mmCIF file with all atom_site columns, all heavy atoms in Angstrom:
data_model
loop_
_atom_site.group_PDB
_atom_site.id
_atom_site.type_symbol
_atom_site.label_atom_id
_atom_site.label_alt_id
_atom_site.label_comp_id
_atom_site.label_asym_id
_atom_site.label_entity_id
_atom_site.label_seq_id
_atom_site.pdbx_PDB_ins_code
_atom_site.Cartn_x
_atom_site.Cartn_y
_atom_site.Cartn_z
_atom_site.occupancy
_atom_site.B_iso_or_equiv
_atom_site.pdbx_formal_charge
_atom_site.auth_seq_id
_atom_site.auth_comp_id
_atom_site.auth_asym_id
_atom_site.auth_atom_id
_atom_site.pdbx_PDB_model_num
ATOM 1   N N   . THR N 1 52 ? -73.415 23.518 0.516  1.00 0.00 ? 52 THR N N   1
ATOM 2   C CA  . THR N 1 52 ? -72.231 23.316 -0.317 1.00 0.00 ? 52 THR N CA  1
ATOM 3   C C   . THR N 1 52 ? -72.519 22.566 -1.578 1.00 0.00 ? 52 THR N C   1
ATOM 4   O O   . THR N 1 52 ? -71.650 22.261 -2.377 1.00 0.00 ? 52 THR N O   1
ATOM 5   C CB  . THR N 1 52 ? -71.165 22.469 0.494  1.00 0.00 ? 52 THR N CB  1
ATOM 6   O OG1 . THR N 1 52 ? -71.782 21.227 0.833  1.00 0.00 ? 52 THR N OG1 1
ATOM 7   C CG2 . THR N 1 52 ? -70.713 23.139 1.728  1.00 0.00 ? 52 THR N CG2 1
ATOM 8   N N   . GLY N 1 53 ? -73.800 22.448 -1.783 1.00 0.00 ? 53 GLY N N   1
ATOM 9   C CA  . GLY N 1 53 ? -74.237 21.791 -3.101 1.00 0.00 ? 53 GLY N CA  1
ATOM 10  C C   . GLY N 1 53 ? -74.234 20.339 -3.207 1.00 0.00 ? 53 GLY N C   1
ATOM 11  O O   . GLY N 1 53 ? -74.228 19.770 -4.327 1.00 0.00 ? 53 GLY N O   1
ATOM 12  N N   . THR N 1 54 ? -74.100 19.651 -2.073 1.00 0.00 ? 54 THR N N   1
ATOM 13  C CA  . THR N 1 54 ? -74.193 18.154 -2.046 1.00 0.00 ? 54 THR N CA  1
ATOM 14  C C   . THR N 1 54 ? -75.540 17.656 -2.612 1.00 0.00 ? 54 THR N C   1
ATOM 15  O O   . THR N 1 54 ? -76.585 18.226 -2.179 1.00 0.00 ? 54 THR N O   1
ATOM 16  C CB  . THR N 1 54 ? -73.992 17.680 -0.590 1.00 0.00 ? 54 THR N CB  1
ATOM 17  O OG1 . THR N 1 54 ? -72.779 18.189 -0.089 1.00 0.00 ? 54 THR N OG1 1
ATOM 18  C CG2 . THR N 1 54 ? -73.949 16.138 -0.576 1.00 0.00 ? 54 THR N CG2 1
ATOM 19  N N   . PRO N 1 55 ? -75.529 16.734 -3.532 1.00 0.00 ? 55 PRO N N   1
ATOM 20  C CA  . PRO N 1 55 ? -76.787 16.245 -4.057 1.00 0.00 ? 55 PRO N CA  1
ATOM 21  C C   . PRO N 1 55 ? -77.714 15.681 -2.987 1.00 0.00 ? 55 PRO N C   1
ATOM 22  O O   . PRO N 1 55 ? -77.328 15.068 -1.996 1.00 0.00 ? 55 PRO N O   1
ATOM 23  C CB  . PRO N 1 55 ? -76.432 15.207 -5.029 1.00 0.00 ? 55 PRO N CB  1
ATOM 24  C CG  . PRO N 1 55 ? -74.980 15.445 -5.425 1.00 0.00 ? 55 PRO N CG  1
ATOM 25  C CD  . PRO N 1 55 ? -74.424 16.064 -4.190 1.00 0.00 ? 55 PRO N CD  1
ATOM 26  N N   . GLN N 1 56 ? -79.049 15.881 -3.138 1.00 0.00 ? 56 GLN N N   1
ATOM 27  C CA  . GLN N 1 56 ? -80.025 15.467 -2.143 1.00 0.00 ? 56 GLN N CA  1
ATOM 28  C C   . GLN N 1 56 ? -79.932 13.942 -1.906 1.00 0.00 ? 56 GLN N C   1
ATOM 29  O O   . GLN N 1 56 ? -80.123 13.515 -0.728 1.00 0.00 ? 56 GLN N O   1
ATOM 30  C CB  . GLN N 1 56 ? -81.415 15.885 -2.538 1.00 0.00 ? 56 GLN N CB  1
ATOM 31  C CG  . GLN N 1 56 ? -81.596 17.420 -2.443 1.00 0.00 ? 56 GLN N CG  1
ATOM 32  C CD  . GLN N 1 56 ? -83.029 17.727 -2.946 1.00 0.00 ? 56 GLN N CD  1
ATOM 33  O OE1 . GLN N 1 56 ? -83.882 16.934 -3.132 1.00 0.00 ? 56 GLN N OE1 1
ATOM 34  N NE2 . GLN N 1 56 ? -83.253 19.036 -2.975 1.00 0.00 ? 56 GLN N NE2 1
ATOM 35  N N   . GLU N 1 57 ? -79.705 13.148 -2.929 1.00 0.00 ? 57 GLU N N   1
ATOM 36  C CA  . GLU N 1 57 ? -79.554 11.712 -2.704 1.00 0.00 ? 57 GLU N CA  1
ATOM 37  C C   . GLU N 1 57 ? -78.427 11.375 -1.760 1.00 0.00 ? 57 GLU N C   1
ATOM 38  O O   . GLU N 1 57 ? -78.574 10.479 -0.964 1.00 0.00 ? 57 GLU N O   1
ATOM 39  C CB  . GLU N 1 57 ? -79.386 10.971 -4.079 1.00 0.00 ? 57 GLU N CB  1
ATOM 40  C CG  . GLU N 1 57 ? -80.541 11.027 -4.979 1.00 0.00 ? 57 GLU N CG  1
ATOM 41  C CD  . GLU N 1 57 ? -80.726 12.366 -5.732 1.00 0.00 ? 57 GLU N CD  1
ATOM 42  O OE1 . GLU N 1 57 ? -79.779 13.153 -5.715 1.00 0.00 ? 57 GLU N OE1 1
ATOM 43  O OE2 . GLU N 1 57 ? -81.872 12.654 -6.128 1.00 0.00 ? 57 GLU N OE2 1
ATOM 44  N N   . ASN N 1 58 ? -77.292 12.091 -1.843 1.00 0.00 ? 58 ASN N N   1
ATOM 45  C CA  . ASN N 1 58 ? -76.196 11.795 -0.992 1.00 0.00 ? 58 ASN N CA  1
ATOM 46  C C   . ASN N 1 58 ? -76.499 12.262 0.476  1.00 0.00 ? 58 ASN N C   1
ATOM 47  O O   . ASN N 1 58 ? -76.037 11.599 1.420  1.00 0.00 ? 58 ASN N O   1
ATOM 48  C CB  . ASN N 1 58 ? -74.947 12.551 -1.423 1.00 0.00 ? 58 ASN N CB  1
ATOM 49  C CG  . ASN N 1 58 ? -74.458 11.996 -2.748 1.00 0.00 ? 58 ASN N CG  1
ATOM 50  O OD1 . ASN N 1 58 ? -74.984 11.004 -3.327 1.00 0.00 ? 58 ASN N OD1 1
ATOM 51  N ND2 . ASN N 1 58 ? -73.451 12.578 -3.417 1.00 0.00 ? 58 ASN N ND2 1
ATOM 52  N N   . ILE N 1 59 ? -77.162 13.414 0.553  1.00 0.00 ? 59 ILE N N   1
ATOM 53  C CA  . ILE N 1 59 ? -77.529 13.939 1.984  1.00 0.00 ? 59 ILE N CA  1
ATOM 54  C C   . ILE N 1 59 ? -78.469 12.810 2.630  1.00 0.00 ? 59 ILE N C   1
ATOM 55  O O   . ILE N 1 59 ? -78.326 12.504 3.767  1.00 0.00 ? 59 ILE N O   1
ATOM 56  C CB  . ILE N 1 59 ? -78.221 15.305 1.844  1.00 0.00 ? 59 ILE N CB  1
ATOM 57  C CG1 . ILE N 1 59 ? -77.316 16.339 1.322  1.00 0.00 ? 59 ILE N CG1 1
ATOM 58  C CG2 . ILE N 1 59 ? -78.715 15.696 3.267  1.00 0.00 ? 59 ILE N CG2 1
ATOM 59  C CD1 . ILE N 1 59 ? -77.959 17.636 1.018  1.00 0.00 ? 59 ILE N CD1 1
ATOM 60  N N   . ALA N 1 60 ? -79.458 12.434 1.904  1.00 0.00 ? 60 ALA N N   1
ATOM 61  C CA  . ALA N 1 60 ? -80.399 11.429 2.369  1.00 0.00 ? 60 ALA N CA  1
ATOM 62  C C   . ALA N 1 60 ? -79.733 10.093 2.768  1.00 0.00 ? 60 ALA N C   1
ATOM 63  O O   . ALA N 1 60 ? -79.973 9.597  3.837  1.00 0.00 ? 60 ALA N O   1
ATOM 64  C CB  . ALA N 1 60 ? -81.480 11.121 1.296  1.00 0.00 ? 60 ALA N CB  1
ATOM 65  N N   . ARG N 1 61 ? -78.792 9.743  1.934  1.00 0.00 ? 61 ARG N N   1
ATOM 66  C CA  . ARG N 1 61 ? -78.021 8.402  2.292  1.00 0.00 ? 61 ARG N CA  1
ATOM 67  C C   . ARG N 1 61 ? -77.189 8.657  3.587  1.00 0.00 ? 61 ARG N C   1
ATOM 68  O O   . ARG N 1 61 ? -77.110 7.768  4.402  1.00 0.00 ? 61 ARG N O   1
ATOM 69  C CB  . ARG N 1 61 ? -77.114 8.027  1.176  1.00 0.00 ? 61 ARG N CB  1
ATOM 70  C CG  . ARG N 1 61 ? -76.518 6.757  1.473  1.00 0.00 ? 61 ARG N CG  1
ATOM 71  C CD  . ARG N 1 61 ? -75.941 6.168  0.215  1.00 0.00 ? 61 ARG N CD  1
ATOM 72  N NE  . ARG N 1 61 ? -75.337 4.907  0.587  1.00 0.00 ? 61 ARG N NE  1
ATOM 73  C CZ  . ARG N 1 61 ? -74.522 4.182  -0.184 1.00 0.00 ? 61 ARG N CZ  1
ATOM 74  N NH1 . ARG N 1 61 ? -74.238 4.619  -1.330 1.00 0.00 ? 61 ARG N NH1 1
ATOM 75  N NH2 . ARG N 1 61 ? -74.052 3.039  0.188  1.00 0.00 ? 61 ARG N NH2 1
ATOM 76  N N   . HIS N 1 62 ? -76.608 9.827  3.700  1.00 0.00 ? 62 HIS N N   1
ATOM 77  C CA  . HIS N 1 62 ? -75.783 10.123 4.883  1.00 0.00 ? 62 HIS N CA  1
ATOM 78  C C   . HIS N 1 62 ? -76.670 10.065 6.148  1.00 0.00 ? 62 HIS N C   1
ATOM 79  O O   . HIS N 1 62 ? -76.148 9.590  7.180  1.00 0.00 ? 62 HIS N O   1
ATOM 80  C CB  . HIS N 1 62 ? -75.132 11.538 4.698  1.00 0.00 ? 62 HIS N CB  1
ATOM 81  C CG  . HIS N 1 62 ? -74.401 11.999 5.871  1.00 0.00 ? 62 HIS N CG  1
ATOM 82  N ND1 . HIS N 1 62 ? -73.165 11.569 6.230  1.00 0.00 ? 62 HIS N ND1 1
ATOM 83  C CD2 . HIS N 1 62 ? -74.690 12.851 6.919  1.00 0.00 ? 62 HIS N CD2 1
ATOM 84  C CE1 . HIS N 1 62 ? -72.675 12.067 7.369  1.00 0.00 ? 62 HIS N CE1 1
ATOM 85  N NE2 . HIS N 1 62 ? -73.643 12.927 7.687  1.00 0.00 ? 62 HIS N NE2 1
ATOM 86  N N   . ILE N 1 63 ? -77.882 10.550 6.059  1.00 0.00 ? 63 ILE N N   1
ATOM 87  C CA  . ILE N 1 63 ? -78.734 10.607 7.270  1.00 0.00 ? 63 ILE N CA  1
ATOM 88  C C   . ILE N 1 63 ? -79.401 9.230  7.450  1.00 0.00 ? 63 ILE N C   1
ATOM 89  O O   . ILE N 1 63 ? -79.820 8.922  8.591  1.00 0.00 ? 63 ILE N O   1
ATOM 90  C CB  . ILE N 1 63 ? -79.773 11.736 7.103  1.00 0.00 ? 63 ILE N CB  1
ATOM 91  C CG1 . ILE N 1 63 ? -79.128 13.074 7.105  1.00 0.00 ? 63 ILE N CG1 1
ATOM 92  C CG2 . ILE N 1 63 ? -80.823 11.643 8.159  1.00 0.00 ? 63 ILE N CG2 1
ATOM 93  C CD1 . ILE N 1 63 ? -80.043 14.165 6.974  1.00 0.00 ? 63 ILE N CD1 1
ATOM 94  N N   . GLY N 1 64 ? -79.496 8.468  6.365  1.00 0.00 ? 64 GLY N N   1
ATOM 95  C CA  . GLY N 1 64 ? -80.118 7.148  6.533  1.00 0.00 ? 64 GLY N CA  1
ATOM 96  C C   . GLY N 1 64 ? -81.638 7.138  6.183  1.00 0.00 ? 64 GLY N C   1
ATOM 97  O O   . GLY N 1 64 ? -82.315 6.295  6.702  1.00 0.00 ? 64 GLY N O   1
ATOM 98  N N   . ILE N 1 65 ? -82.028 8.051  5.290  1.00 0.00 ? 65 ILE N N   1
ATOM 99  C CA  . ILE N 1 65 ? -83.444 8.116  4.869  1.00 0.00 ? 65 ILE N CA  1
ATOM 100 C C   . ILE N 1 65 ? -83.506 8.155  3.315  1.00 0.00 ? 65 ILE N C   1
ATOM 101 O O   . ILE N 1 65 ? -82.530 8.276  2.664  1.00 0.00 ? 65 ILE N O   1
ATOM 102 C CB  . ILE N 1 65 ? -84.178 9.335  5.502  1.00 0.00 ? 65 ILE N CB  1
ATOM 103 C CG1 . ILE N 1 65 ? -83.478 10.695 5.057  1.00 0.00 ? 65 ILE N CG1 1
ATOM 104 C CG2 . ILE N 1 65 ? -84.265 9.216  6.959  1.00 0.00 ? 65 ILE N CG2 1
ATOM 105 C CD1 . ILE N 1 65 ? -84.229 11.906 5.546  1.00 0.00 ? 65 ILE N CD1 1
ATOM 106 N N   . ASP N 1 66 ? -84.703 8.041  2.775  1.00 0.00 ? 66 ASP N N   1
ATOM 107 C CA  . ASP N 1 66 ? -84.935 8.179  1.397  1.00 0.00 ? 66 ASP N CA  1
ATOM 108 C C   . ASP N 1 66 ? -84.949 9.598  1.003  1.00 0.00 ? 66 ASP N C   1
ATOM 109 O O   . ASP N 1 66 ? -85.266 10.547 1.844  1.00 0.00 ? 66 ASP N O   1
ATOM 110 C CB  . ASP N 1 66 ? -86.316 7.506  1.123  1.00 0.00 ? 66 ASP N CB  1
ATOM 111 C CG  . ASP N 1 66 ? -86.556 7.404  -0.438 1.00 0.00 ? 66 ASP N CG  1
ATOM 112 O OD1 . ASP N 1 66 ? -85.850 6.644  -1.053 1.00 0.00 ? 66 ASP N OD1 1
ATOM 113 O OD2 . ASP N 1 66 ? -87.437 8.173  -0.927 1.00 0.00 ? 66 ASP N OD2 1
ATOM 114 N N   . SER N 1 67 ? -84.661 9.916  -0.227 1.00 0.00 ? 67 SER N N   1
ATOM 115 C CA  . SER N 1 67 ? -84.601 11.333 -0.740 1.00 0.00 ? 67 SER N CA  1
ATOM 116 C C   . SER N 1 67 ? -86.014 12.031 -0.632 1.00 0.00 ? 67 SER N C   1
ATOM 117 O O   . SER N 1 67 ? -86.136 13.180 -0.401 1.00 0.00 ? 67 SER N O   1
ATOM 118 C CB  . SER N 1 67 ? -84.069 11.449 -2.137 1.00 0.00 ? 67 SER N CB  1
ATOM 119 O OG  . SER N 1 67 ? -84.733 10.721 -2.986 1.00 0.00 ? 67 SER N OG  1
ATOM 120 N N   . LYS N 1 68 ? -87.066 11.216 -0.804 1.00 0.00 ? 68 LYS N N   1
ATOM 121 C CA  . LYS N 1 68 ? -88.406 11.809 -0.670 1.00 0.00 ? 68 LYS N CA  1
ATOM 122 C C   . LYS N 1 68 ? -88.640 12.240 0.745  1.00 0.00 ? 68 LYS N C   1
ATOM 123 O O   . LYS N 1 68 ? -89.213 13.219 1.091  1.00 0.00 ? 68 LYS N O   1
ATOM 124 C CB  . LYS N 1 68 ? -89.480 10.752 -1.095 1.00 0.00 ? 68 LYS N CB  1
ATOM 125 C CG  . LYS N 1 68 ? -89.522 10.510 -2.604 1.00 0.00 ? 68 LYS N CG  1
ATOM 126 C CD  . LYS N 1 68 ? -90.556 9.512  -2.959 1.00 0.00 ? 68 LYS N CD  1
ATOM 127 C CE  . LYS N 1 68 ? -90.483 9.101  -4.359 1.00 0.00 ? 68 LYS N CE  1
ATOM 128 N NZ  . LYS N 1 68 ? -91.454 8.107  -4.737 1.00 0.00 ? 68 LYS N NZ  1
ATOM 129 N N   . THR N 1 69 ? -88.200 11.386 1.742  1.00 0.00 ? 69 THR N N   1
ATOM 130 C CA  . THR N 1 69 ? -88.328 11.745 3.113  1.00 0.00 ? 69 THR N CA  1
ATOM 131 C C   . THR N 1 69 ? -87.511 12.968 3.414  1.00 0.00 ? 69 THR N C   1
ATOM 132 O O   . THR N 1 69 ? -87.895 13.791 4.240  1.00 0.00 ? 69 THR N O   1
ATOM 133 C CB  . THR N 1 69 ? -87.937 10.544 3.961  1.00 0.00 ? 69 THR N CB  1
ATOM 134 O OG1 . THR N 1 69 ? -88.703 9.379  3.561  1.00 0.00 ? 69 THR N OG1 1
ATOM 135 C CG2 . THR N 1 69 ? -88.139 10.737 5.456  1.00 0.00 ? 69 THR N CG2 1
ATOM 136 N N   . LEU N 1 70 ? -86.352 13.035 2.864  1.00 0.00 ? 70 LEU N N   1
ATOM 137 C CA  . LEU N 1 70 ? -85.509 14.188 3.090  1.00 0.00 ? 70 LEU N CA  1
ATOM 138 C C   . LEU N 1 70 ? -86.270 15.479 2.705  1.00 0.00 ? 70 LEU N C   1
ATOM 139 O O   . LEU N 1 70 ? -86.270 16.438 3.415  1.00 0.00 ? 70 LEU N O   1
ATOM 140 C CB  . LEU N 1 70 ? -84.216 14.100 2.305  1.00 0.00 ? 70 LEU N CB  1
ATOM 141 C CG  . LEU N 1 70 ? -83.278 15.274 2.365  1.00 0.00 ? 70 LEU N CG  1
ATOM 142 C CD1 . LEU N 1 70 ? -82.483 15.313 3.635  1.00 0.00 ? 70 LEU N CD1 1
ATOM 143 C CD2 . LEU N 1 70 ? -82.256 15.230 1.134  1.00 0.00 ? 70 LEU N CD2 1
ATOM 144 N N   . ARG N 1 71 ? -86.788 15.451 1.503  1.00 0.00 ? 71 ARG N N   1
ATOM 145 C CA  . ARG N 1 71 ? -87.556 16.636 1.008  1.00 0.00 ? 71 ARG N CA  1
ATOM 146 C C   . ARG N 1 71 ? -88.768 16.869 1.825  1.00 0.00 ? 71 ARG N C   1
ATOM 147 O O   . ARG N 1 71 ? -89.141 18.115 2.003  1.00 0.00 ? 71 ARG N O   1
ATOM 148 C CB  . ARG N 1 71 ? -87.874 16.506 -0.494 1.00 0.00 ? 71 ARG N CB  1
ATOM 149 C CG  . ARG N 1 71 ? -86.659 16.557 -1.370 1.00 0.00 ? 71 ARG N CG  1
ATOM 150 C CD  . ARG N 1 71 ? -87.066 16.550 -2.864 1.00 0.00 ? 71 ARG N CD  1
ATOM 151 N NE  . ARG N 1 71 ? -87.547 15.315 -3.326 1.00 0.00 ? 71 ARG N NE  1
ATOM 152 C CZ  . ARG N 1 71 ? -86.715 14.267 -3.781 1.00 0.00 ? 71 ARG N CZ  1
ATOM 153 N NH1 . ARG N 1 71 ? -85.456 14.373 -3.737 1.00 0.00 ? 71 ARG N NH1 1
ATOM 154 N NH2 . ARG N 1 71 ? -87.315 13.121 -4.084 1.00 0.00 ? 71 ARG N NH2 1
ATOM 155 N N   . LEU N 1 72 ? -89.413 15.905 2.319  1.00 0.00 ? 72 LEU N N   1
ATOM 156 C CA  . LEU N 1 72 ? -90.586 16.114 3.146  1.00 0.00 ? 72 LEU N CA  1
ATOM 157 C C   . LEU N 1 72 ? -90.290 16.788 4.514  1.00 0.00 ? 72 LEU N C   1
ATOM 158 O O   . LEU N 1 72 ? -91.003 17.718 4.883  1.00 0.00 ? 72 LEU N O   1
ATOM 159 C CB  . LEU N 1 72 ? -91.265 14.736 3.415  1.00 0.00 ? 72 LEU N CB  1
ATOM 160 C CG  . LEU N 1 72 ? -92.468 14.740 4.371  1.00 0.00 ? 72 LEU N CG  1
ATOM 161 C CD1 . LEU N 1 72 ? -93.642 15.445 3.660  1.00 0.00 ? 72 LEU N CD1 1
ATOM 162 C CD2 . LEU N 1 72 ? -92.850 13.286 4.778  1.00 0.00 ? 72 LEU N CD2 1
ATOM 163 N N   . HIS N 1 73 ? -89.227 16.372 5.195  1.00 0.00 ? 73 HIS N N   1
ATOM 164 C CA  . HIS N 1 73 ? -88.994 16.858 6.538  1.00 0.00 ? 73 HIS N CA  1
ATOM 165 C C   . HIS N 1 73 ? -87.966 18.042 6.537  1.00 0.00 ? 73 HIS N C   1
ATOM 166 O O   . HIS N 1 73 ? -87.910 18.709 7.560  1.00 0.00 ? 73 HIS N O   1
ATOM 167 C CB  . HIS N 1 73 ? -88.319 15.761 7.405  1.00 0.00 ? 73 HIS N CB  1
ATOM 168 C CG  . HIS N 1 73 ? -89.369 14.699 7.676  1.00 0.00 ? 73 HIS N CG  1
ATOM 169 N ND1 . HIS N 1 73 ? -90.377 14.897 8.562  1.00 0.00 ? 73 HIS N ND1 1
ATOM 170 C CD2 . HIS N 1 73 ? -89.535 13.413 7.277  1.00 0.00 ? 73 HIS N CD2 1
ATOM 171 C CE1 . HIS N 1 73 ? -91.097 13.725 8.652  1.00 0.00 ? 73 HIS N CE1 1
ATOM 172 N NE2 . HIS N 1 73 ? -90.657 12.844 7.832  1.00 0.00 ? 73 HIS N NE2 1
ATOM 173 N N   . TYR N 1 74 ? -87.182 18.230 5.419  1.00 0.00 ? 74 TYR N N   1
ATOM 174 C CA  . TYR N 1 74 ? -86.135 19.233 5.508  1.00 0.00 ? 74 TYR N CA  1
ATOM 175 C C   . TYR N 1 74 ? -86.228 20.234 4.420  1.00 0.00 ? 74 TYR N C   1
ATOM 176 O O   . TYR N 1 74 ? -85.245 20.755 3.913  1.00 0.00 ? 74 TYR N O   1
ATOM 177 C CB  . TYR N 1 74 ? -84.803 18.584 5.430  1.00 0.00 ? 74 TYR N CB  1
ATOM 178 C CG  . TYR N 1 74 ? -84.477 17.549 6.549  1.00 0.00 ? 74 TYR N CG  1
ATOM 179 C CD1 . TYR N 1 74 ? -84.776 16.218 6.490  1.00 0.00 ? 74 TYR N CD1 1
ATOM 180 C CD2 . TYR N 1 74 ? -84.008 18.142 7.773  1.00 0.00 ? 74 TYR N CD2 1
ATOM 181 C CE1 . TYR N 1 74 ? -84.531 15.430 7.559  1.00 0.00 ? 74 TYR N CE1 1
ATOM 182 C CE2 . TYR N 1 74 ? -83.769 17.155 8.832  1.00 0.00 ? 74 TYR N CE2 1
ATOM 183 C CZ  . TYR N 1 74 ? -84.002 15.859 8.683  1.00 0.00 ? 74 TYR N CZ  1
ATOM 184 O OH  . TYR N 1 74 ? -83.818 14.999 9.719  1.00 0.00 ? 74 TYR N OH  1
ATOM 185 N N   . ARG N 1 75 ? -87.424 20.473 3.883  1.00 0.00 ? 75 ARG N N   1
ATOM 186 C CA  . ARG N 1 75 ? -87.603 21.423 2.711  1.00 0.00 ? 75 ARG N CA  1
ATOM 187 C C   . ARG N 1 75 ? -86.946 22.772 2.986  1.00 0.00 ? 75 ARG N C   1
ATOM 188 O O   . ARG N 1 75 ? -86.300 23.315 2.122  1.00 0.00 ? 75 ARG N O   1
ATOM 189 C CB  . ARG N 1 75 ? -89.114 21.649 2.429  1.00 0.00 ? 75 ARG N CB  1
ATOM 190 C CG  . ARG N 1 75 ? -89.342 22.451 1.278  1.00 0.00 ? 75 ARG N CG  1
ATOM 191 C CD  . ARG N 1 75 ? -89.268 21.795 -0.033 1.00 0.00 ? 75 ARG N CD  1
ATOM 192 N NE  . ARG N 1 75 ? -87.842 21.904 -0.582 1.00 0.00 ? 75 ARG N NE  1
ATOM 193 C CZ  . ARG N 1 75 ? -87.407 20.978 -1.480 1.00 0.00 ? 75 ARG N CZ  1
ATOM 194 N NH1 . ARG N 1 75 ? -88.099 20.075 -1.923 1.00 0.00 ? 75 ARG N NH1 1
ATOM 195 N NH2 . ARG N 1 75 ? -86.108 21.201 -1.864 1.00 0.00 ? 75 ARG N NH2 1
#
Side-chain angles (χ1 to χ4, degrees):
T52 58
T54 303
Q56 292 181 5
E57 291 76 20
N58 294 355
I59 299 171
R61 184 165 183 194
H62 176 75
I63 294 176
I65 59 175
D66 186 70
S67 57
K68 290 179 186 176
T69 306
L70 176 76
R71 289 187 289 275
L72 176 69
H73 292 287
Y74 300 95
R75 181 80 274 158

